Amino acid sequence: MSERRCHRTHSHMESGTDTESDSETMRCLSCKDEYGTRDAGTCKECYEEASETKEELKREIEDLKAKVAFLRFWSPLDHHHYHHLLHFNNNHQYHQNGNINRSSSGPYFTDVVLLAASDDGPIGSPVPVPAHKAVLVNRSPVFKAMLENEMEESRSGTIKISDVSYDALRTFVNYLYTAEACLDEQMACDLLVLAEKYQVKHLKAYCEKFLVSKLNWDNSVMSFAFAHQHNAKNLLETALSLITDNMDKLTKREDYMELVEKDPRLVVEIYEAYLSKQVNTAAAHRDSSMKL
Amino acid sequence: MSERRCHRTHSHMESGTDTESDSETMRCLSCKDEYGTRDAGTCKECYEEASETKEELKREIEDLKAKVAFLRFWSPLDHHHYHHLLHFNNNHQYHQNGNINRSSSGPYFTDVVLLAASDDGPIGSPVPVPAHKAVLVNRSPVFKAMLENEMEESRSGTIKISDVSYDALRTFVNYLYTAEACLDEQMACDLLVLAEKYQVKHLKAYCEKFLVSKLNWDNSVMSFAFAHQHNAKNLLETALSLITDNMDKLTKREDYMELVEKDPRLVVEIYEAYLSKQVNTAAAHRDSSMKL
């Protein structure tokens, strides 16, 4: 902040005397630098009001942060506790048939486990991720329907989730407790898929925002296809706009050619968006030249 | 906002011509009114930066609100569901001996009930307030110690809470799920006592803030005594300051005379605070008169 300086300008220099140029120079109440009428921002009253508003907003943020800290669960996966719990579950609680012994659900009172039914977990049987039905049911309408309706998952206390890595499942469950996750692009994609499947809107928005922030020319086509598949509207539109801004380079790309092979309808959508943009741009040009 | 107007002043009116007075009048970018150099607030750059900051703070607030909405539990006491659950508990689950049948904890997967052991509940046995051990343990270190250490409460699945009304207990439990409560002064006092007892800091701060906002001369002595008893520092200091500002009226009050009878040490504290204030004020006077 201290490095930035308000521009000093002396408008109406032509009008002359020292007293006059003094009268036109004011000191900014915020950055404390002098400025001329041409660079004037607000009156004093508005400045003071804005400062108060800012303080109020900051107080509101503090209150909300305290509320989040209060409402945030320490999840049964929190790393301080997790190894103990994992050990506990593996040795005492978790049986070969996939059921947990509910009467001894350990210090976390968990009453369900989730299992990643994919290959990249540890060798042997997959590691169960313990959780509370009450939390799952609160965060996801899909878990709610599953667990409240006495389906197989509710009776056995085990929810099998296919096509997901153990790490992604663990991060997913942890998010349900804490509303926090450490993302990279792969994890954001994996979690977005889970969030879509289990209708966890908050997580989906969180992943989508992250993926939008990571968009670039190199991943734009892949991101567009991914967004399409998982109904991620913001990511889709941002990726599409990035692609249509660089149409001259598109057809040389390998992933473009793959997309033409695999899902030509998506490629058609790209061309349609490009065409529509061209038409709009042309119309805007016409309008502005008519005004001239 | 539209009613407030920035003051128009024309400083240096003496300097004369039209062009000059124009050069000294600027339009506030916020309220759009004209103002003179004397009422100048900030330069344009600072105004723009402040506007951006404000937008950023507002976005942060929106994000935090969404996070709170996500983390907030619908509690087993939410009024849409509660009557069903109450009915369910009373008829099927809750037995004379105070234990619940854990294998059928209903659609909320509750695994514990709280009982208000006071007289102002409905006639007959008190109504149980269902809850989740995992939630209680997360929100209160006292419940954590109680439930994790296989004490009587953990085995029976029943926590008896003395000296509390059913309404206060229900509101307390609901707060643990939602971080929300509808307060009046009585409820704020009841909840503050529970929050102190079970070390729920967030709730204690919430009640204390409410009680500070309701402080007035009439309730100041009672509030002071209450704050003392329950270790509510902000409330104590605000009440004390209110009392020492009105010492001339204090000794005539009935609750003052009662306090002298019941807890004279608190009255001594009031006088000590008053004395200390007088000494400080006298010192400040001396300083300012020495400067003159």
Side-chain angles (χ1 to χ4, degrees):
Chain A
M1 184 77 101
S2 63
E3 279 178 50
R4 201 180 48 68
R5 289 280 170 265
C6 292
H7 308 297
R8 279 191 200 201
T9 65
H10 291 273
S11 56
H12 303 275
M13 284 293 274
E14 68 278 8
S15 62
T17 73
D18 267 12
T19 20
E20 269 168 26
S21 82
D22 273 354
S23 79
E24 289 161 9
T25 312
M26 293 151 289
R27 195 167 287 280
C28 171
L29 294 173
S30 175
C31 68
K32 312 294 179 201
D33 265 13
E34 289 181 356
Y35 66 97
T37 49
R38 211 176 278 178
D39 294 305
T42 63
C43 65
K44 198 172 175 181
E45 207 173 341
C46 282
Y47 165 68
E48 281 162 3
E49 196 177 274
S51 304
E52 269 171 44
T53 308
K54 194 172 149 190
E55 289 311 308
E56 271 166 36
L57 292 174
K58 281 186 176 171
R59 272 194 298 275
E60 193 176 346
I61 287 175
E62 285 314 302
D63 284 353
L64 282 165
K65 280 185 178 167
K67 211 166 176 174
V68 165
F70 175 74
L71 286 171
R72 186 187 180 283
F73 257 62
W74 36 260
S75 105
L77 304 173
D78 270 355
H79 69 278
H80 287 306
H81 309 278
Y82 189 61
H83 288 287
H84 166 71
L85 187 70
L86 207 58
H87 183 79
F88 185 85
N89 270 322
N90 281 336
N91 288 285
H92 301 285
Q93 256 197 299
Y94 193 72
H95 304 300
Q96 284 291 36
N97 61 5
N99 290 336
I100 53 166
N101 177 355
R102 285 196 205 195
S103 63
S104 65
S105 51
Y108 298 93
F109 313 108
T110 56
D111 52 7
V112 67
V113 294
L114 295 94
L115 281 185
S118 81
D119 302 330
D120 60 338
I123 298 154
S125 61
V127 182
V129 176
H132 299 90
K133 285 180 183 174
V135 174
L136 301 187
V137 157
N138 252 283
R139 306 290 193 243
S140 151
V142 177
F143 284 134
K144 188 169 153 67
M146 187 187 280
L147 293 170
E148 285 183 2
N149 294 323
E150 290 287 328
M151 288 165 78
E152 164 60 23
E153 290 86 356
S154 186
R155 275 193 301 274
S156 68
T158 303
I159 299 172
K160 284 182 190 144
I161 296 187
S162 53
D163 299 324
V164 68
S165 70
Y166 167 74
D167 271 350
L169 178 60
R170 194 173 175 290
T171 310
F172 175 62
V173 172
N174 202 55
Y175 192 91
L176 301 183
Y177 284 81
T178 62
E180 278 163 27
C182 190
L183 298 182
D184 57 24
E185 282 172 71
Q186 182 58 49
M187 185 57 85
C189 289
D190 290 353
L191 289 186
L192 192 146
V193 173
L194 282 168
E196 171 75 0
K197 186 172 173 189
Y198 292 97
Q199 293 176 36
V200 185
K201 280 186 198 165
H202 191 264
L203 175 58
K204 190 175 168 189
Y206 182 74
C207 295
E208 200 173 341
K209 201 171 166 185
F210 178 85
L211 290 171
V212 166
S213 79
K214 295 290 175 191
L215 262 181
N216 58 43
W217 172 240
D218 286 334
N219 64 24
S220 58
V221 172
M222 240 176 51
S223 297
F224 170 69
F226 177 80
H228 218 285
Q229 195 180 350
H230 299 288
N231 197 23
K233 207 168 164 248
N234 278 340
L235 183 61
L236 189 133
E237 279 170 13
T238 320
L240 196 55
S241 157
L242 190 59
I243 295 168
T244 53
D245 283 347
N246 295 278
M247 285 302 272
D248 51 323
K249 296 185 280 176
L250 179 66
T251 52
K252 290 159 207 120
R253 288 176 55 146
E254 216 168 285
D255 54 3
Y256 168 81
M257 291 181 263
E258 279 169 28
L259 196 64
V260 172
E261 282 302 307
K262 274 200 335 212
D263 205 341
R265 273 176 311 179
L266 292 197
V267 180
V268 172
E269 255 185 53
I270 293 176
Y271 282 112
E272 284 175 355
Y274 178 61
L275 188 66
S276 146
K277 198 183 243 179
Q278 276 194 319
V279 172
N280 287 336
T281 314
H285 269 289
R286 224 178 15 253
D287 285 358
S288 64
S289 55
M290 272 166 74
K291 274 178 197 151
L292 292 173
Chain B
M1 182 78 101
S2 64
E3 280 179 52
R4 202 178 49 66
R5 288 280 170 266
C6 291
H7 309 296
R8 279 189 199 200
T9 64
H10 291 274
S11 57
H12 304 277
M13 283 293 274
E14 68 277 11
S15 63
T17 72
D18 267 11
T19 21
E20 269 169 25
S21 80
D22 273 355
S23 79
E24 288 161 10
T25 312
M26 294 150 288
R27 196 167 287 280
C28 171
L29 293 173
S30 175
C31 68
K32 311 295 179 201
D33 265 13
E34 290 182 354
Y35 66 97
T37 49
R38 211 176 279 177
D39 294 304
T42 63
C43 65
K44 197 171 174 181
E45 207 174 338
C46 282
Y47 165 70
E48 281 162 3
E49 195 176 274
S51 304
E52 268 171 46
T53 308
K54 194 172 148 190
E55 289 312 307
E56 272 167 35
L57 291 174
K58 281 186 178 172
R59 272 196 297 275
E60 193 176 347
I61 286 174
E62 286 314 302
D63 284 353
L64 283 165
K65 279 185 179 167
K67 212 166 179 174
V68 165
F70 174 73
L71 286 171
R72 185 187 182 285
F73 257 63
W74 36 259
S75 103
L77 304 172
D78 269 356
H79 70 277
H80 287 305
H81 310 277
Y82 190 61
H83 288 287
H84 167 71
L85 186 70
L86 207 58
H87 183 78
F88 184 85
N89 270 323
N90 280 335
N91 289 285
H92 301 284
Q93 256 197 299
Y94 192 72
H95 304 300
Q96 283 293 36
N97 62 4
N99 290 336
I100 52 166
N101 177 354
R102 286 195 205 196
S103 64
S104 65
S105 52
Y108 298 92
F109 313 108
T110 56
D111 52 9
V112 66
V113 294
L114 296 94
L115 281 185
S118 80
D119 302 331
D120 60 339
I123 298 156
S125 61
V127 183
V129 176
H132 300 89
K133 286 179 183 175
V135 174
L136 301 186
V137 156
N138 252 283
R139 305 291 193 243
S140 151
V142 177
F143 284 133
K144 188 169 154 65
M146 186 187 281
L147 293 170
E148 284 183 2
N149 294 324
E150 289 289 326
M151 289 166 76
E152 163 62 22
E153 290 85 356
S154 187
R155 276 194 299 274
S156 68
T158 302
I159 300 172
K160 285 183 188 144
I161 296 187
S162 54
D163 299 323
V164 69
S165 70
Y166 168 74
D167 271 351
L169 179 61
R170 194 173 176 289
T171 310
F172 175 63
V173 173
N174 202 55
Y175 192 90
L176 301 183
Y177 285 80
T178 62
E180 278 164 26
C182 190
L183 298 182
D184 58 24
E185 283 172 71
Q186 182 58 50
M187 185 57 85
C189 289
D190 291 352
L191 290 186
L192 192 145
V193 173
L194 282 167
E196 170 75 0
K197 187 171 172 189
Y198 292 97
Q199 293 176 33
V200 185
K201 279 185 198 166
H202 191 264
L203 175 57
K204 190 175 168 190
Y206 182 74
C207 294
E208 200 173 341
K209 201 172 167 185
F210 179 85
L211 290 171
V212 167
S213 80
K214 294 292 174 188
L215 263 181
N216 58 42
W217 173 241
D218 287 333
N219 65 25
S220 59
V221 172
M222 241 177 51
S223 297
F224 170 69
F226 176 81
H228 219 284
Q229 196 180 349
H230 299 288
N231 198 22
K233 205 167 166 247
N234 278 340
L235 183 61
L236 189 133
E237 278 170 12
T238 319
L240 197 55
S241 157
L242 191 59
I243 295 169
T244 53
D245 282 347
N246 295 277
M247 285 302 272
D248 50 325
K249 296 185 279 174
L250 178 66
T251 53
K252 289 159 207 120
R253 288 176 56 147
E254 216 167 285
D255 54 2
Y256 168 79
M257 292 182 261
E258 279 169 28
L259 196 63
V260 173
E261 281 302 307
K262 276 199 335 212
D263 205 340
R265 274 177 311 181
L266 292 198
V267 181
V268 172
E269 256 186 51
I270 293 176
Y271 283 112
E272 284 176 355
Y274 177 61
L275 188 66
S276 147
K277 197 183 246 179
Q278 275 194 320
V279 172
N280 286 337
T281 315
H285 269 289
R286 224 177 15 252
D287 284 359
S288 65
S289 55
M290 273 167 71
K291 273 178 199 151
L292 292 174

